[in-house]
Every structure is written in C-alpha cells, then in structure tokens.
Amino acid sequence: MSVPFPGLNVNSRADSHRAVAIIGIVALLLFLSLTHTHAETDNVEITYVSNVYNLSREYYTFTTKDTVLGVKITLELDVPKIFINGENNTIIYRVLVGNAPSGWYFNITKLIFEGLFCIQRSVQSPALVLRDNESFTSQFIVKIETQLEAGFYDRCSIYLVIYYSARYRENREDNRLGDSTMLVIKSRELPLELKPNISANVEYGKYIIFTVPVLHLYGQLRVKNIHNWNITLTRAYICRFSKPGDLLLRGLDCERERDLPSIVIRPGEEYVLSVDERISRYSPPWDVVFIIEYLYPGGKAQNWAVFKVAGGLPTATAQLTKSSTTTIVARTPTTTTTTTLTTIPTATITKT
C-alpha cells in the first residue's frame, strides 16, 4: 500500500487536481471565445516618420492637481517623447493657481528637477509669489549623458518637486508638491536606409462580451546597407509610445520581439524584412516603432522606423461589413503633438 508524503492531505490533493482541471477548461473556453473579425478602416491614418529625432520636438503634458488652503493648484509638466542622449533637452513646467480669496498667496521657494541615474539635479529658487488666478511658466534645460550604443534607447524616471509656503489669514502651510513620469532616451543612430511599404487595418477580437480592437500591420520593410562594411541583422522589435495616463507610464512599450537568423547585408545590398504584426490595446493616436538591431565592426547598433497612427475607430455597423487597408509610403510626416515647443521666456507670470 502506498503511503502519502508526510503532511499531504489526499482529499486536498484531489481537490487541487479538480481545481486545476476546472481552470484549464475555463481557459480553453475563453481562448475559443476569442475570434477576429475585420472592420472598416478608412478613418485610420498612418504616416511614416523619416527622421525619428523629430519626436524630440513633440511634447506630452502631464498634470498634477492639489488643494492648498482651499485653493486648487495645478502643476503641468511638458516632456518630449524622446530625449536625445548627449544633447541639451528642454523640460517646460507651469504652476497655475485657481480662484483664491483676497489675502491668500502661494510663495514658491524652490524647484528641483532630477532624473533617476540619468539627469543631474537642477535647482531654481525664484522666490515667487502667486495669487488669485495667476500662473508661472518656466523651463529646465538639461543634458543627459548615459552609456548607450549607437541608436539604442533607455528609460529615465524624472520628477519635478516644488517647495512652497502658502498663507491665508492666520493659516499657514509649508509643504511640497510634484510630478513625475518616464522618459525615453535615445542615442544617435548610424546611417541606414529604411524603405517601408506597409499596409494596415483594424481587426476586432471578440473576448466573451468585450470587443477588443487590434492594429494589424503587414507588408515589407527594406533595409539597405549604405556603409563600406558588412552588417548582420540579429533582431527586430515592434513597440509603441505610451500615452499620458497609460498604466505605469512605461515610455516605450515593446510587446513583440523577433530573432533574425544572422542576416548579412553587404555594402550597397538590401534585405526585405516581411512584416505581419498585430498590436493589442489599439487606441489612436500613438506612434508605432519598428526597431532593427544589427552588428557592425564597431559593435551593436539599432535603427528605428516610426509610424504615426491617427484617426478614430470604425463604427459598430462597419465592424460587421467589410475591410479596407491603408498603404504606408515614405512621405512628409505630419505633426500630431500634444504640446509643440516654441520660444519660451525663462520665467513668465500671467494673470487670467
């Protein structure tokens, strides 16, 4: 007769087996319930960005709101989609005061901007007082210097902290408020010619009672070696930039990775990379990034092919009818910025 291991309850073991079986059946049913149907995609626009460093001039705005002695304080932080490694980059911030009673004031004593392991601390001490419906706009110009190979990227967690002293009648509050986010740092690329010919449509997956939109990209990406030495393609990624408000603010979210079988491209030769990728959590506008990784005599390098995805989603009626596609060709990129960098004075106070 077999003897159970010490401490192992036979009944509990049987229960656990049944539980595993039930979970497996439920998972199978959920998998079978996920089906794709094509949808109308005339209103989806995709544009190839020939110069990825134009993204350094496109800004996201992050907003933090708080209440100080009964008055709403808003802190806005404008950050570029990418920081260029080794170069000066600009961070813009604004402090806005809401409706405040007479005699209330908000004294900014110090501002600190810093990046975790990527940006040295910068401190401003404006000794600035804001009152009813006033705002203050200024900027930090910072230089990022990290050890990145040609074309590679990294993430940088940054934060801005404002120290203040607020007063209203006999009430006083000395505290701080701040805002933080994740930035993408990218080093300069080696010259490499990328010629995309890609089409796209939106598919819908039925997941139980939910309809999930998925962006389907397919076609070709031609890679031409314009150097005097051989390069060897080793890997390809497909990523997207996280929008403001995305969970964890990851900066660049890469959900597909594909190993390439050490493809050697000689000087002047081309290699055609086939593309057939589906990207979940489709919610325009956002940027899709194809990353090509390769070896060259100096080490490893990466180059990006960036596509801007704009437009809305198909209507519910069109989802059940037909499918159309949009072809991507190299053309003048459109600008879809949240905030566009313009000439900004060192500090401005405005009254609305």
Side-chain angles (χ1 to χ4, degrees):
M1 183 177 69
S2 62
V3 180
F5 288 105
L8 178 61
N9 185 289
V10 178
N11 292 331
S12 65
R13 180 173 60 183
D15 292 341
S16 65
H17 288 170
R18 283 194 294 270
V20 171
I22 293 172
I23 292 173
I25 293 172
V26 172
L28 178 61
L29 292 175
L30 293 179
F31 175 78
L32 293 176
S33 68
L34 181 59
T35 59
H36 288 287
T37 57
H38 290 285
E40 175 68 50
T41 57
D42 285 336
N43 56 344
V44 175
E45 299 176 359
I46 301 179
T47 305
Y48 174 58
V49 179
S50 58
N51 183 358
V52 300
Y53 295 98
N54 288 334
L55 299 179
S56 66
R57 296 194 292 271
E58 297 181 16
Y59 278 63
Y60 287 144
T61 298
F62 296 87
T63 301
T64 298
K65 295 183 179 181
D66 207 339
T67 300
V68 176
L69 296 181
V71 177
K72 184 175 70 175
I73 305 295
T74 302
L75 172 61
E76 294 179 348
L77 186 62
D78 294 348
V79 297
K81 287 184 178 180
I82 63 171
F83 264 162
I84 303 177
N85 190 37
E87 300 182 12
N88 288 333
N89 300 264
T90 303
I91 295 289
I92 306 167
Y93 67 88
R94 286 176 297 278
V95 184
L96 303 97
V97 173
N99 295 326
S102 177
W104 181 98
Y105 71 84
F106 185 80
N107 181 20
I108 299 176
T109 58
K110 183 170 63 175
L111 299 102
I112 297 177
F113 179 81
E114 190 171 7
L116 187 62
F117 307 121
C118 55
I119 303 174
Q120 291 186 348
R121 173 176 292 196
S122 297
V123 180
Q124 294 180 4
S125 302
L128 172 71
V129 175
L130 298 178
R131 294 179 173 83
D132 176 42
N133 283 316
E134 289 185 337
S135 64
F136 173 67
T137 301
S138 189
Q139 60 188 10
F140 286 93
I141 298 178
V142 296
K143 186 175 183 179
I144 300 178
E145 294 183 297
T146 59
Q147 299 297 321
L148 289 176
E149 296 181 276
F152 273 72
Y153 77 95
D154 199 357
R155 295 177 178 89
C156 175
S157 179
I158 65 168
Y159 61 89
L160 174 65
V161 180
I162 295 179
Y163 291 83
Y164 66 87
S165 177
R167 293 192 181 185
Y168 179 56
R169 295 178 180 173
E170 69 277 5
N171 300 313
R172 174 173 176 172
E173 180 177 319
D174 297 306
N175 208 334
R176 62 183 180 179
L177 55 88
D179 201 356
S180 64
T181 186
M182 189 78 72
L183 288 180
V184 176
I185 306 169
K186 180 170 173 58
S187 60
R188 287 288 180 180
E189 299 178 345
L190 297 177
L192 192 67
E193 190 173 298
L194 302 177
K195 293 185 288 186
N197 184 11
I198 299 175
S199 299
N201 65 359
V202 177
E203 298 176 352
Y204 281 80
K206 187 67 176 179
Y207 187 77
I208 311 178
I209 61 174
F210 301 103
T211 300
V212 182
V214 178
L215 181 66
H216 183 199
L217 298 172
Y218 54 94
Q220 297 177 342
L221 179 62
R222 291 181 174 270
V223 182
K224 183 176 181 180
N225 182 6
I226 57 177
H227 296 286
N228 294 324
W229 54 76
N230 293 350
I231 63 173
T232 304
L233 304 186
T234 57
R235 192 169 298 170
Y237 305 85
I238 184 167
C239 315
R240 70 184 183 101
F241 277 95
S242 298
K243 296 184 301 182
D246 273 8
L247 183 63
L248 299 181
L249 301 175
R250 289 165 292 191
L252 196 63
D253 179 18
C254 297
E255 61 177 54
R256 294 287 187 274
E257 181 178 342
R258 174 177 163 192
D259 289 328
L260 303 176
S262 298
I263 300 164
V264 178
I265 308 178
R266 295 179 176 83
E269 292 183 346
E270 285 186 349
Y271 177 80
V272 179
L273 183 66
S274 63
V275 175
D276 187 7
E277 300 288 347
R278 288 173 173 83
I279 307 175
S280 60
R281 303 187 303 278
Y282 172 65
S283 178
W286 40 270
D287 300 338
V288 176
V289 183
F290 285 91
I291 300 179
I292 307 299
E293 187 173 315
Y294 56 95
L295 301 176
Y296 74 106
K300 291 192 299 183
Q302 287 183 350
N303 284 68
W304 290 13
V306 179
F307 302 92
K308 287 189 170 298
V309 181
L313 292 174
T315 62
T317 302
Q319 293 176 22
L320 303 178
T321 56
K322 61 180 181 177
S323 171
S324 63
T325 60
T326 301
T327 301
I328 306 172
V329 294
R331 59 182 185 272
T332 304
T334 58
T335 302
T336 57
T337 61
T338 304
T339 303
T340 303
L341 179 61
T342 55
T343 303
I344 296 178
T346 303
T348 58
I349 304 176
T350 58
K351 176 83 170 180
T352 58

